[in-house]
Amino acid sequence: MREKGSPGTARGVVAAASMAVLVVAAPADGGVAAPAAPRVAQPHCAAGRIPGPHDAEPAADAAACAPAEGGPGAAQESTAGAGPARAEAARTAAGRHGWGPPLGRWSDEFDYGTAGKPAVPNPDKWKPAGGGVAKCWPGHAGNGRRCDKNTRVYGGVLRQTGEANGDSGWLASRYGQRYGRWEARVRSEGVGEDNGRQYHPLLILWPDSERWPQDGEYDYLENGAPGEECAEAFIHYPHDPDVPVQQKFARKCGVDLSAWHNIAIEWTPDHVRGFVDGVRWYSFSGGANADRECVQCAPSMHQTIQLDNFHGSNLQGAVYEVDWARVYPYSPDSP
């Protein structure tokens, strides 16, 4: 089991890219690090999914590992002469697969706040950790605290900061829906010496009901440390709380998660499907049995962005950044 979205419990980037070293300025705004100088990342796609050792059904998972949408190099197709906007769209699942415009009321480009005056995430779109500004509540499994002060917008980027003392960031969308598509542009990196006690960056669809595990959970990005070389996802079945955790696992290796990547999930009545930089990564469906419903059979869910603490205190610091987070509706007539 991984994350939880409720206050007392808890609770997921992928292709190599070049990027300048992260430099974090002196802390500002109650412990949130001020933004570093601008960094440039040129994302591109890596190879297809590599099966993980925890895959419960290797034969079924093998189909999801197969190259899709043109194979491992598909996202590297030429965009010469296409212009920056078209080239960027080709690296998103929304642009590549024709999802149409995002829901503007619930999506966020994080184009507010400044380096000198970081902003609280738009309260019309987001619910903060602790339930309000300058508040905190217990972290994942009681480890450290999730604090409002550790999530701020710096004029173009949302930044969550994980501190050595265990205080970290958490944010939840106010919008839930059953079925839909979500995509976010993210990167993460450890700050300071690696002591083996690292934060977990996540992108999650969490049940609006707050009932876990009965109503499922889709950790469409979850890593055991910032900036890892493999992206991982844990897609939880809605299941009986009296049985072991029921989930599907996906991993994609040989990538640089400290660079910008577009991570997406598509949830329909037929499947749960993940994407990296516009290229399909995994696809799961069915799997119902006496202990669980089908993997795509969860009720309404909402987006959470989390930098989770699994160790208590004395952690390696971390920064988790989101360039934008977009949500798209689902309809039977959509592509």
Side-chain angles (χ1 to χ4, degrees):
M1 182 182 75
R2 296 294 175 175
E3 91 104 27
K4 298 296 164 290
S6 57
T9 52
R11 255 320 193 203
V13 248
V14 182
S18 60
M19 170 180 163
V21 175
L22 174 67
V23 178
V24 178
D29 187 37
V32 178
R39 291 165 288 171
V40 178
Q42 301 297 328
H44 60 279
C45 285
R49 172 178 171 242
I50 298 173
H54 305 296
D55 282 324
E57 300 162 33
D61 290 345
C65 300
E69 272 74 53
Q76 299 182 30
E77 65 187 14
S78 174
T79 55
R86 183 175 170 190
E88 174 59 25
R91 292 192 291 264
T92 66
R96 195 176 183 87
H97 302 286
W99 291 356
L103 296 171
R105 181 178 178 184
W106 303 112
S107 301
D108 205 332
E109 301 298 307
F110 301 118
D111 53 359
Y112 49 97
T114 66
K117 191 175 180 179
V120 172
N122 187 332
D124 292 332
K125 300 175 185 282
W126 303 101
K127 294 181 287 188
V133 175
K135 295 184 178 180
C136 301
W137 57 31
H140 168 76
N143 290 305
R145 302 185 302 171
R146 290 171 171 162
C147 294
D148 159 72
K149 67 182 173 63
N150 290 72
T151 302
R152 287 292 183 268
V153 180
Y154 288 88
V157 65
L158 174 85
R159 172 173 290 176
Q160 292 190 337
T161 304
E163 302 180 56
N165 69 358
D167 287 356
S168 65
W170 181 95
L171 195 65
S173 174
R174 294 188 180 277
Y175 176 70
Q177 61 182 3
R178 190 179 195 199
Y179 311 132
R181 295 156 171 138
W182 290 257
E183 188 162 23
R185 184 166 175 81
V186 300
R187 65 183 173 189
S188 61
E189 193 163 352
V191 177
E193 183 179 355
D194 178 0
N195 63 0
R197 299 168 67 83
Q198 297 164 310
Y199 281 96
H200 289 218
L202 302 101
L203 292 170
I204 297 168
L205 296 188
W206 179 255
D208 293 345
S209 67
E210 299 287 340
R211 286 174 15 111
W212 188 95
Q214 297 96 316
D215 289 342
E217 170 187 1
Y218 302 151
D219 305 325
Y220 68 103
L221 177 69
E222 175 176 356
N223 278 90
E228 287 190 315
E229 292 297 315
C230 297
E232 297 183 341
F234 295 80
I235 307 300
H236 294 248
Y237 290 85
H239 68 83
D240 190 317
D242 298 325
V243 302
V245 170
Q246 307 285 299
Q247 65 187 14
K248 300 293 289 184
F249 174 77
R251 176 186 286 136
K252 190 169 189 174
C253 291
V255 297
D256 178 6
L257 303 188
S258 67
W260 287 116
H261 296 288
N262 305 322
I263 310 302
I265 186 169
E266 176 182 72
W267 173 29
T268 79
D270 300 317
H271 59 251
V272 176
R273 185 170 288 168
F275 303 83
V276 175
D277 293 329
V279 175
R280 195 172 81 185
W281 169 16
Y282 57 83
S283 185
F284 301 128
S285 64
N289 60 30
D291 295 323
R292 67 196 192 195
E293 298 182 53
C294 73
V295 72
Q296 73 271 23
C297 289
S300 181
M301 293 194 178
H302 59 272
Q303 172 78 68
T304 70
I305 302 169
Q306 302 178 197
L307 187 58
D308 274 1
N309 177 350
F310 279 51
H311 300 289
S313 59
N314 188 31
L315 282 82
Q316 180 190 21
V319 169
Y320 183 27
E321 294 185 322
V322 185
D323 186 17
W324 44 257
R326 300 167 184 162
V327 56
Y328 300 81
Y330 166 79
S331 74
D333 299 326
S334 60

